[in-house]
Amino acid sequence: MGYYIKVEKGVNIYIEDVNPSANKTILFIHGWPANHQMFEYQFNQLPVLGYRCIGVDLRGFGKSSNPWSSYSYDRMADDIRVIIDTLQLESITLIGHSMGGAVAIRYMSRYKGHQVNKLTLAGAAAPVFTMQPDFPYGTSVEVVNELLNKTNSDRPRMVQDFSDIFFQSYLSESFQHWFQSLCLTASGHATAKCLETLRDEDLRRDLPGIQVPTLILHGKWDKICPYVLGELMHVYIKDSTLVSFEYSGHGLFYEEKEKFNEEIAKFID
């Protein structure tokens, strides 16, 4: 079931709600620059196990509105708060992948984990996505700036190049085309603005404030958010568990989808 939720004047966020009568709810936040459909192989399996799965298209992505401004983690966390309150969700599991993980972390800090019982961070773009003078991990600012240049000059080629390093394992040509098509449904402007957010934001102060059990899932071969970021999040978040995906890159939700789904179900139950 798909519908829209108004989060502010002129901005409507698209929601996919599967198995809404289930007692246990999982809210999924996708990564850059895809949309909720990247979790197809969670949405067709986890509801069978009795979970309500809610997918969000972040502003500027998928079927959601694409405003000209407001693509900070704060604003996207505010959108998540409106969605949770509008749907009257309680005791949910919040799952964020890549930039979606960063948004989930900011939500937990900004709203003190409002109505979130458990948190899952999958290949999250945290503690910081880019290298800093006091943080020698992650992606270089120069690489992000080059992605920005490609986004503004040849976005289809940028998406193709990005998808080439997104997954570690072999993918069919059809799957690659499908995944790239998800990324190209995004607004070009939102794609660029969220790259700037990824480049410039810092979540190190947010992580210690997370007070719920947290499952960190991270691919050992991740070329976008290196595995060391998962290790650092595990250090920063007190009640956290780190699970390595030995055969995955950034796309662990698909590359080891059975393990991914099993770890989530085990964590929730």
Side-chain angles (χ1 to χ4, degrees), residues 170-180:
Y170 169 79
L171 302 172
S172 69
E173 186 175 346
S174 298
F175 184 92
Q176 292 180 55
H177 289 164
W178 172 78
F179 183 75
Q180 291 167 25

Side-chain angles (χ1 to χ4, degrees), residues 42-241:
Q42 284 66 58
F43 276 57
N44 63 14
Q45 294 183 31
L46 291 172
V48 176
L49 301 178
Y51 301 105
R52 178 185 184 183
C53 292
I54 301 174
V56 175
D57 282 353
L58 292 169
R59 55 174 57 213
F61 297 86
K63 297 180 181 179
S64 291
S65 301
N66 53 341
W68 184 250
S69 60
S70 302
Y71 289 95
S72 68
Y73 290 156
D74 281 352
R75 178 60 256 187
M76 290 187 280
D78 293 346
D79 293 347
I80 298 301
R81 173 65 188 260
V82 174
I83 291 163
I84 287 174
D85 287 349
T86 300
L87 297 178
Q88 300 181 322
L89 303 179
E90 298 178 350
S91 301
I92 69 169
T93 297
L94 183 62
I95 296 180
H97 173 262
S98 196
M99 185 184 76
V103 173
I105 290 167
R106 179 56 51 85
Y107 175 85
M108 297 299 292
S109 171
R110 189 168 173 81
Y111 291 109
K112 296 180 173 56
H114 173 70
Q115 299 298 359
V116 175
N117 189 43
K118 293 184 178 181
L119 174 67
T120 299
L121 302 172
V128 189
F129 182 63
T130 52
M131 298 177 185
Q132 306 294 323
D134 61 343
F135 191 81
Y137 313 103
T139 302
S140 72
V141 171
E142 290 75 19
V143 167
V144 178
N145 287 339
E146 182 59 25
L147 280 172
L148 271 169
N149 290 335
K150 290 181 179 178
T151 297
N152 291 322
S153 61
D154 189 345
R155 188 162 61 99
R157 180 58 185 271
M158 182 280 292
V159 166
Q160 180 180 336
D161 291 345
F162 183 73
S163 67
D164 285 344
I165 64 170
F166 197 97
F167 298 96
Q168 171 68 19
S169 58
Y170 169 79
L171 302 172
S172 69
E173 186 175 346
S174 298
F175 184 92
Q176 292 180 55
H177 289 164
W178 172 78
F179 183 75
Q180 291 167 25
S181 73
L182 298 187
C183 299
L184 288 171
T185 62
S187 153
H189 178 70
T191 301
K193 296 304 291 184
C194 285
L195 265 177
E196 294 175 3
T197 298
L198 281 160
R199 180 192 65 193
D200 299 339
E201 295 241 24
D202 188 330
L203 294 158
R204 282 177 286 184
R205 293 185 178 180
D206 299 72
L207 292 171
I210 295 175
Q211 300 296 320
V212 300
T214 301
L215 177 65
I216 300 168
L217 308 176
H218 221 102
K220 289 297 291 286
W221 303 100
D222 197 325
K223 296 182 179 71
I224 295 167
C225 294
Y227 184 76
V228 65
L229 298 187
E231 294 176 317
L232 290 168
M233 284 185 281
H234 182 40
V235 171
Y236 277 102
I237 302 172
K238 183 179 179 180
D239 187 11
S240 65
T241 301

